[in-house]
Amino acid sequence: MISLVSYLAISLLLFFIGLTLMIARKNIVAILLGIELILNAAALNFVAYSRFAASNIDGHIFSLFVIVIAAAEAAVGLAIVIHYFQLKETIHIDEATELRN
Amino acid sequence: MDYTILSIAPIFLAPFTAFVINAFFGKKLPRQGDWVSVLGIGIAFLFAFRIFIDFYSTYSTEYYIHKYFTWFDLSYGENLFKIDLGIYIDNMGAIMLLMVTGVAFFIHLFSTWYMWGDVRYGKFFTLMSLFTSGMLGLVLSDNLLSMFIFWEIMGFCSYSLIGFYFEKEKAGYASIKAFMTTRVGDVFFLLGILAIWHTVGNVSLPDIYAAIANGSFEGHTVIGISLATFAGFCIFCGTIGKSAQFPLQVWLPDAMMGPTPCSALIHAATMVAAGVYLSLRMYPLMVAGGLTPFIAMIGGITAFGAATIALIQTDLKAVLAYSTISQLGYMVLGVGVGAYNAAFMHLITHAVFKACLFLSAGSVIHSVHTQEMPEMGGLRHKLKFTWIAMWCCTLAISGVPFFSGFVSKDRILGDALYVALHAGQGFTYMIPAALGFIGAFLTPFYMCRMMFLTFHGKPRDQHVYDHCHAEHLKINQNVPLLILSIFTLGVFFSGSLTGQGFVKIFGSKNEWFKVLVASPTESLDKFAYYTREELGWSDTNEKEKPEHSEYEHQSGFAGPNHENHEGLHHAHVEGAFGSIIIVACSIFFAFLMYIRRSIDPARFVNMFSVWVKALKNKYYFDHLYIDVIIQKGLLKFNNALAWFDMGIYDRFAIDGWEAVSRVGYKSSNWFDRIVVDKIGVDGTAVATNIFNIVLRLIQSGKIQTYFIVLIFMLVTFVAVLT
């Protein structure tokens, strides 16, 4: 039988992959991908704990919400990226320094 | 008559307003504003005439006007320090006001002819107005302090008028000399005022009289001498300076450097009259101080010495200047021998004829353009009116019967003779009286000499004679002279020649002058219980008369007026006949010398060659003052003071303070630069900059860096929590 530790290990792996994407990649779309992975890792954790540690389906429902929010977030994020691209003709993250200057 | 401020003040304010108007707008007015000055003095004359008529019709020695207000009051607690300004007019003041305004009016009128076309025509009238208003203010003053103020205003005006033609170097020096010489007297005058202030606590005339009457001066001493003597001496020194008496007479001859009308004003109505007027006002103090022999001596010496100098002068105005000094000597002699009334009468009569003489001299000088008598001669054919006027005045000053000078001067001489011979005063008054009589011999001589040289004989310089235009009657040239010369007649001042009453033009009041002007010593009783009222304009006419007085004369000298009238009358008859003979001899002598030419003046010059040399050098007084006292004494003292000033005070005090403040400047500069600037201001900037650099490192603007920091903080937070 697949144990809770296996789920958590997958989830941890997803989280770190996402984190690495967010920090290491300069492409904004890749960073958005990393954020999706982190969200998915969190959703996987909800589901895993709901299955093994609790006797209800709160975690399942919560993960559904996470998927919905992730979709909305991806829509908003991609919209920003498109506008950003129209402004700068690049999607390199280091060019986005308007707040500093 | 009821007096308000409006019926008295214009006497002073009208000429003063004329001065203010001329000083500020004179150049914009038509005729440079001369009519403003003439109008101002004319108004003053009308008001003075009204007051005079009032006093004349009241005809009482008890009558006087005293109005005052508080100028400022610095009293605190028990210490009274209050200065009042006010008006005090008695019979003497009323006569004086009439004389000053009248004479000054004619002088102003004459100036419009004499000064016309001058470069500083308007400025001349400005100063003349101020001068006259100063004199009128002095006469109106009820206290010594405001008298001193007006006294100084006159000093300033005489300075500016003597130096009126300041392009001439001599005129500049003469003005400085006049100012500095009179200043010596002024300092003493101020000291006298302070001495009186110290004793009386007030300087108004009634208060001083009251203090003398109450004997407040007794018991006080200043540097070993009694206070009355000290104060009297100091105030008399003011007279010496202003009236050009013996030690300080040097300025008056030089004062002729000014325009002739200004000389007339200085010599007659204002400046020199002020000195004698002050002495007369302070006469009770002089008597209380026992100064009368000293005053008589000064007067006698001046009367004689100036007359001798006048003998050898060739300058028309210089003769008149020395005759003024001599006549002032007679007035002071009169004060000294107690001939209070006669001295004041001589002041008035002298003012009239000396003003006329100077204006006549001005008329001559303006016509012939020279002042030297040797270049004149025979001018009577051309300057008829001036000739008549000047002869009237010459006869008056000489003391010829029926003229005013006879009445006044011979009353002084008669009193002097009486005091010297009959009053039992001993030898003290012999010398002044003798000097007075010798002066009375010299006066007609030098005056007639001047007249003969100027108007009689043959023209000595044909060029000068031909250039002189024949004189026509002119309202502002010779009419003033003729009007003034009418008042040289004796009947206006005395109904008699020696007191008998020949001519009675004034009816029962023919001796008005003698009756009205009474010495304050005789009426000190009325001041003895005089108490001042508080603030406001108050008329003290209705003062109750005291029942008795505790005053007694300190010196025992009462003047001739108190003594045996029989002896006085006798002495006056002797004096009068003596002086008539003297005058006749003198005029005859001058006639022989300068008309008949039967006596050669050179014989006398050779006979008294040493004396004549001394006379030419004015008795070496200029030499004494300038070369000896100033050059050898005062200049050395001055240099010593300058050495102290520059060597000690400058070097140590000023330069030392400079070093101290330099050190202070340096240390505070260091503190400013290092502590405040470097550490305080720059340090704040540097600290801010360092924080800036550190914070800028964090604020990279790169989103991923923020992620890293965020995660790092989160992890650290969790690690710390668990």
Side-chain angles (χ1 to χ4, degrees):
Chain A
M1 178 183 176
I2 302 163
S3 67
L4 179 64
V5 179
S6 308
Y7 288 103
L8 291 181
I10 297 294
S11 160
L12 195 65
L13 189 67
L14 276 171
F15 178 78
F16 275 105
I17 289 166
L19 197 64
T20 312
L21 273 171
M22 257 177 71
I23 291 168
R25 292 299 299 269
K26 299 294 179 190
N27 195 320
I28 295 176
V29 179
I31 289 169
L32 283 177
L33 282 176
I35 290 168
E36 292 301 319
L37 283 180
I38 289 169
L39 282 172
N40 283 334
L44 187 60
N45 261 10
F46 275 121
V47 174
Y49 278 113
S50 175
R51 169 75 178 83
F52 291 103
S55 55
N56 52 21
I57 55 166
D58 288 356
H60 300 271
I61 294 162
F62 213 91
S63 68
L64 281 174
F65 274 106
V66 169
I67 289 160
V68 171
I69 285 164
E73 184 246 309
V76 173
L78 282 171
I80 291 169
V81 171
I82 288 163
H83 272 281
Y84 181 73
F85 181 78
Q86 282 174 345
L87 204 65
K88 296 261 178 178
E89 296 193 343
T90 177
I91 47 168
H92 200 280
I93 188 69
D94 283 353
E95 297 292 319
T97 55
E98 271 76 13
L99 271 183
R100 187 193 176 201
N101 298 318
Chain B
M1 205 195 305
D2 277 340
Y3 286 99
T4 59
I5 180 86
L6 287 174
S7 58
I8 300 174
I11 296 173
F12 166 71
L13 286 179
F16 191 77
T17 314
F19 156 70
V20 173
I21 291 172
N22 270 349
F24 289 105
F25 314 107
K27 283 186 178 164
K28 290 171 196 155
L29 294 171
R31 284 180 64 89
Q32 299 194 36
D34 61 351
W35 53 274
V36 177
S37 292
V38 176
L39 193 69
I41 189 72
I43 292 168
F45 175 73
L46 291 179
F47 278 93
F49 191 71
R50 183 163 166 258
I51 286 172
F52 174 75
I53 289 297
D54 176 42
F55 274 84
Y56 181 75
S57 53
T58 307
Y59 210 67
S60 160
T61 52
E62 300 286 316
Y63 186 41
Y64 65 99
I65 305 166
H66 186 207
K67 286 166 188 297
Y68 61 91
F69 63 95
T70 302
W71 183 17
F72 57 81
D73 187 354
L74 299 177
S75 309
Y76 58 96
E78 293 294 300
N79 297 305
L80 287 175
F81 189 88
K82 200 173 77 169
I83 293 186
D84 295 331
L85 286 187
I87 288 168
Y88 179 77
I89 306 174
D90 56 0
N91 291 318
M92 191 167 113
I95 297 169
M96 192 80 181
L97 286 175
L98 185 72
M99 182 280 284
V100 172
T101 51
V103 168
F105 175 74
F106 288 120
I107 293 171
H108 275 70
L109 198 61
F110 179 83
S111 306
T112 57
W113 173 74
Y114 185 87
M115 296 302 289
W116 182 245
D118 194 274
V119 201
R120 290 182 290 277
Y121 183 74
K123 189 194 161 192
F124 180 78
F125 279 94
T126 312
L127 287 169
M128 292 281 272
S129 280
L130 182 62
F131 206 167
T132 316
S133 64
M135 182 64 191
L136 291 169
L138 184 130
V139 175
L140 286 171
S141 288
D142 79 325
N143 67 70
L144 290 178
L145 193 73
S146 57
M147 270 191 179
F148 186 74
I149 295 168
F150 293 119
W151 181 274
E152 291 296 321
I153 287 176
M154 281 199 281
F156 162 73
C157 288
S158 68
Y159 166 78
S160 335
L161 281 169
I162 292 167
F164 188 72
Y165 297 124
F166 50 73
E167 296 89 348
K168 284 193 281 183
E169 199 184 5
K170 274 177 96 179
Y173 284 133
S175 62
I176 294 169
K177 191 173 170 185
F179 193 70
M180 297 313 281
T181 314
T182 49
R183 185 120 303 262
V184 177
D186 295 352
V187 171
F188 279 104
F189 182 18
L190 195 57
L191 268 179
I193 293 174
L194 291 175
I196 289 172
W197 178 272
H198 173 74
T199 320
V200 184
N202 208 313
V203 287
S204 86
L205 293 172
D207 281 338
I208 295 169
Y209 295 155
I212 296 168
N214 298 331
S216 305
F217 278 96
E218 287 164 46
H220 292 278
T221 53
V222 183
I223 47 171
I225 46 176
S226 90
L227 197 113
T229 310
F230 178 79
F233 175 75
C234 286
I235 287 176
F236 182 65
C237 281
T239 302
I240 289 178
K242 214 67 162 180
S243 290
Q245 293 301 298
F246 156 56
L248 299 176
Q249 84 283 32
V250 290
W251 68 271
L252 195 57
D254 288 21
M256 67 184 183
M257 280 297 153
T260 309
C262 120
S263 299
L265 204 58
I266 289 177
H267 286 255
T270 56
M271 182 94 168
V272 294
V276 178
Y277 179 77
L278 178 72
S279 272
L280 290 170
R281 278 290 190 218
M282 288 290 106
Y283 179 68
L285 187 64
M286 312 274 177
V287 173
L291 285 163
T292 46
F294 168 71
I295 293 172
M297 199 65 197
I298 294 282
I301 292 170
T302 315
F304 171 72
T308 53
I309 300 177
L311 293 175
I312 58 125
Q313 295 299 318
T314 55
D315 188 313
L316 183 57
K317 280 173 80 179
V319 175
L320 293 177
Y322 281 107
S323 85
T324 304
I325 300 178
S326 178
Q327 298 305 311
L328 290 165
Y330 281 112
M331 294 171 211
V332 171
L333 175 65
V335 175
V337 298
Y340 182 88
N341 185 295
F344 182 60
M345 188 192 264
H346 197 53
L347 173 64
I348 300 294
T349 57
H350 171 261
V352 175
F353 60 65
K354 187 48 64 69
C356 185
L357 277 172
F358 259 105
L359 296 185
S360 307
S363 174
V364 171
I365 291 164
H366 201 71
S367 303
V368 300
H369 300 291
T370 176
Q371 300 192 4
E372 288 296 310
M373 289 192 294
E375 295 171 20
M376 298 173 187
L379 290 173
R380 74 173 185 277
H381 303 297
K382 291 207 163 176
L383 302 170
K384 279 200 186 62
F385 300 112
T386 308
W387 179 62
I388 294 167
M390 211 163 177
W391 257 118
C392 285
C393 301
T394 305
L395 293 177
I397 196 175
S398 303
V400 172
F402 302 111
F403 286 91
S404 62
F406 176 77
V407 183
S408 53
K409 188 159 77 179
D410 286 78
R411 278 179 60 210
I412 293 175
L413 289 174
D415 283 357
L417 192 69
Y418 171 76
V419 174
L421 296 178
H422 301 287
Q425 296 290 333
F427 194 63
T428 331
Y429 293 95
M430 288 291 255
I431 297 167
L435 288 172
F437 272 99
I438 301 171
F441 174 74
L442 296 173
T443 310
F445 180 79
Y446 66 71
M447 289 307 295
C448 289
R449 170 180 172 269
M450 180 197 83
M451 289 303 294
F452 291 149
L453 285 177
T454 312
F455 289 101
H456 294 261
K458 295 229 161 56
R460 275 178 296 278
D461 192 329
Q462 199 62 42
H463 177 74
V464 167
Y465 183 76
D466 291 340
H467 272 77
C468 172
H469 299 290
E471 190 183 23
H472 302 290
L473 213 55
K474 221 171 158 188
I475 188 75
N476 56 359
Q477 183 191 357
N478 32 36
V479 169
L481 308 183
L482 293 172
I483 293 171
L484 281 174
S485 65
I486 290 169
F487 289 95
T488 60
L489 292 175
V491 284
F492 292 103
F493 302 97
S494 170
S496 70
L497 301 177
T498 53
Q500 289 93 338
F502 291 152
V503 189
K504 292 199 168 163
I505 195 173
F506 288 95
S508 60
K509 292 178 180 176
N510 61 343
E511 286 295 343
W512 64 276
F513 204 109
K514 215 170 171 180
V515 173
L516 284 183
V517 179
S519 163
T521 46
E522 290 171 16
S523 54
L524 274 175
D525 298 358
K526 86 179 170 194
F527 295 107
Y529 292 96
Y530 178 85
T531 45
R532 294 182 70 84
E533 285 174 10
E534 280 304 307
L535 305 173
W537 288 89
S538 59
D539 205 329
T540 49
N541 277 342
E542 278 82 36
K543 275 272 149 15
E544 279 179 38
K545 276 175 207 145
E547 285 170 13
H548 65 288
S549 165
E550 294 168 351
Y551 175 69
E552 281 166 26
H553 288 290
Q554 289 181 353
S555 63
F557 176 79
N561 296 334
H562 281 284
E563 300 292 328
N564 173 4
H565 280 273
E566 200 60 36
L568 182 64
H569 183 70
H570 186 59
H572 270 242
V573 174
E574 283 172 4
F577 279 108
S579 60
I580 290 172
I581 295 165
I582 284 173
V583 168
C585 287
S586 175
I587 294 177
F588 183 63
F589 204 53
F591 177 73
L592 287 181
M593 223 182 235
Y594 293 102
I595 298 281
R596 291 285 297 280
R597 299 269 168 199
S598 51
I599 303 173
D600 189 6
R603 265 176 61 196
F604 291 94
V605 174
N606 291 333
M607 210 186 288
F608 301 106
S609 58
V610 178
W611 199 5
V612 170
K613 191 159 170 268
L615 292 179
K616 279 195 175 138
N617 290 302
K618 303 163 190 171
Y619 288 118
Y620 305 106
F621 269 105
D622 285 342
H623 173 76
L624 174 71
Y625 288 150
I626 292 167
D627 295 345
V628 180
I629 294 181
I630 294 176
Q631 293 281 351
K632 298 232 170 80
L634 285 178
L635 212 58
K636 293 242 166 74
F637 181 62
N638 193 23
N639 287 344
L641 286 181
W643 173 82
F644 177 79
D645 216 29
M646 291 193 289
I648 310 279
Y649 187 74
D650 259 21
R651 199 145 143 230
F652 294 106
I654 306 286
D655 290 358
W657 182 244
E658 188 222 349
V660 169
S661 59
R662 203 172 271 275
V663 168
Y665 152 74
K666 274 188 178 154
S667 56
S668 70
N669 183 35
W670 176 86
F671 181 82
D672 220 30
R673 268 188 308 134
I674 304 300
V675 178
V676 178
D677 257 25
K678 282 262 152 50
I679 297 176
V681 180
D682 290 359
T684 310
V686 167
T688 315
N689 204 20
I690 289 167
F691 276 107
N692 175 28
I693 289 165
V694 172
L695 288 174
R696 213 163 50 195
L697 286 177
I698 305 166
Q699 292 281 333
S700 66
K702 293 181 179 169
I703 294 164
Q704 287 170 322
T705 318
Y706 297 161
F707 276 144
I708 294 166
V709 174
L710 188 67
I711 288 157
F712 177 74
M713 294 300 284
L714 204 63
V715 171
T716 312
F717 187 64
V718 171
V720 168
L721 276 186
T722 50

